[in-house]
Amino acid sequence: MAAALGPGEAAAAAHALTLPAEAYGNDPNVELMWAMRAYQHAEVYFNLISSVDPKFLKLTKADEQIYGEFRKTFGDLKIDVLDPEELKSEAAKEKWRPFCMRFEGVVEDFNYGTLLRLDCSQGYTEENTIFATRIQFFAIEIARNREGCNSVVYNSAKKPAAAVAEEAVTA
């Protein structure tokens, strides 16, 4: 990962990220800032589901609506291990587009890019990550949390802590 930004650079980056995409074209510096922001979001989220039982997490004020609409629209989408074609193919995009647009004005930055794990039992790696919109991330992760798919991350993070505590007691 790139070096941390200083206060002035962070303020400039924050301002730059508020401008419309048309203002930039394909500026590599902006793309890098977006990638860094997406990575930071992913890191925070993974730490959260590693330390708090995901079944109890509320990710947005609209979790109920997001989950209900998601399962109504994508009832048989396999969410534990995602097939990228279910998100990126032309047919998938035609199905996702109206779903995503339902959350314009409901979920802040609903169409911003974010990172999504393909296999929810694994962390964020290059091989296990796909770029998705924020509402796709919320829909899939809310479903993974409610349906117990993300419990594997929480339980595996708990095991080492329990082993360390047990060693401390027996030592």
Side-chain angles (χ1 to χ4, degrees), residues 37-98:
R37 182 176 175 187
Y39 178 78
Q40 289 168 342
H41 173 264
E43 192 173 45
V44 167
Y45 180 70
F46 194 78
N47 288 338
L48 184 64
I49 63 172
S50 296
S51 56
V52 176
D53 189 340
K55 288 182 278 192
F56 301 111
L57 285 178
K58 186 167 171 73
L59 301 181
T60 74
K61 294 177 186 172
D63 279 14
E64 292 296 325
Q65 180 185 359
I66 294 168
Y67 181 70
E69 293 288 331
F70 173 69
R71 276 310 186 196
K72 187 166 72 173
T73 306
F74 300 97
D76 30 338
L77 180 66
K78 187 174 177 239
I79 58 171
D80 58 342
V81 180
L82 294 169
D83 175 355
E85 289 298 305
E86 295 285 344
L87 296 165
K88 300 294 182 183
S89 71
E90 284 306 312
K93 287 178 182 178
E94 290 302 314
K95 197 170 181 182
W96 275 104
R97 192 170 295 115

Side-chain angles (χ1 to χ4, degrees), residues 3-165:
L5 298 177
E9 294 164 312
H15 171 70
L17 293 174
T18 65
L19 298 173
E22 300 80 39
Y24 294 103
N26 289 330
D27 184 333
N29 292 327
V30 173
E31 289 179 11
L32 178 62
M33 285 187 285
W34 276 109
M36 288 171 54
R37 182 176 175 187
Y39 178 78
Q40 289 168 342
H41 173 264
E43 192 173 45
V44 167
Y45 180 70
F46 194 78
N47 288 338
L48 184 64
I49 63 172
S50 296
S51 56
V52 176
D53 189 340
K55 288 182 278 192
F56 301 111
L57 285 178
K58 186 167 171 73
L59 301 181
T60 74
K61 294 177 186 172
D63 279 14
E64 292 296 325
Q65 180 185 359
I66 294 168
Y67 181 70
E69 293 288 331
F70 173 69
R71 276 310 186 196
K72 187 166 72 173
T73 306
F74 300 97
D76 30 338
L77 180 66
K78 187 174 177 239
I79 58 171
D80 58 342
V81 180
L82 294 169
D83 175 355
E85 289 298 305
E86 295 285 344
L87 296 165
K88 300 294 182 183
S89 71
E90 284 306 312
K93 287 178 182 178
E94 290 302 314
K95 197 170 181 182
W96 275 104
R97 192 170 295 115
F99 171 83
C100 294
M101 294 309 296
R102 284 183 224 148
F103 295 96
E104 185 174 18
V106 176
V107 173
E108 186 178 346
D109 302 331
F110 77 103
N111 62 347
Y112 277 29
T114 191
L115 301 175
L116 179 64
R117 293 170 301 135
L118 293 171
D119 180 343
C120 70
S121 69
Q122 304 296 314
Y124 285 93
T125 63
E126 189 174 336
E127 302 78 28
N128 194 45
T129 304
I130 191 168
F131 197 65
T133 64
R134 191 168 190 215
I135 191 59
Q136 287 175 308
F137 168 85
F138 281 140
I140 292 167
E141 290 298 337
I142 289 167
R144 284 174 166 175
N145 291 343
R146 290 185 176 200
E147 297 172 19
C149 297
N150 277 335
S151 292
V152 67
V153 173
Y154 174 67
N155 291 333
S156 65
K158 252 182 17 179
K159 282 180 188 168
V164 168

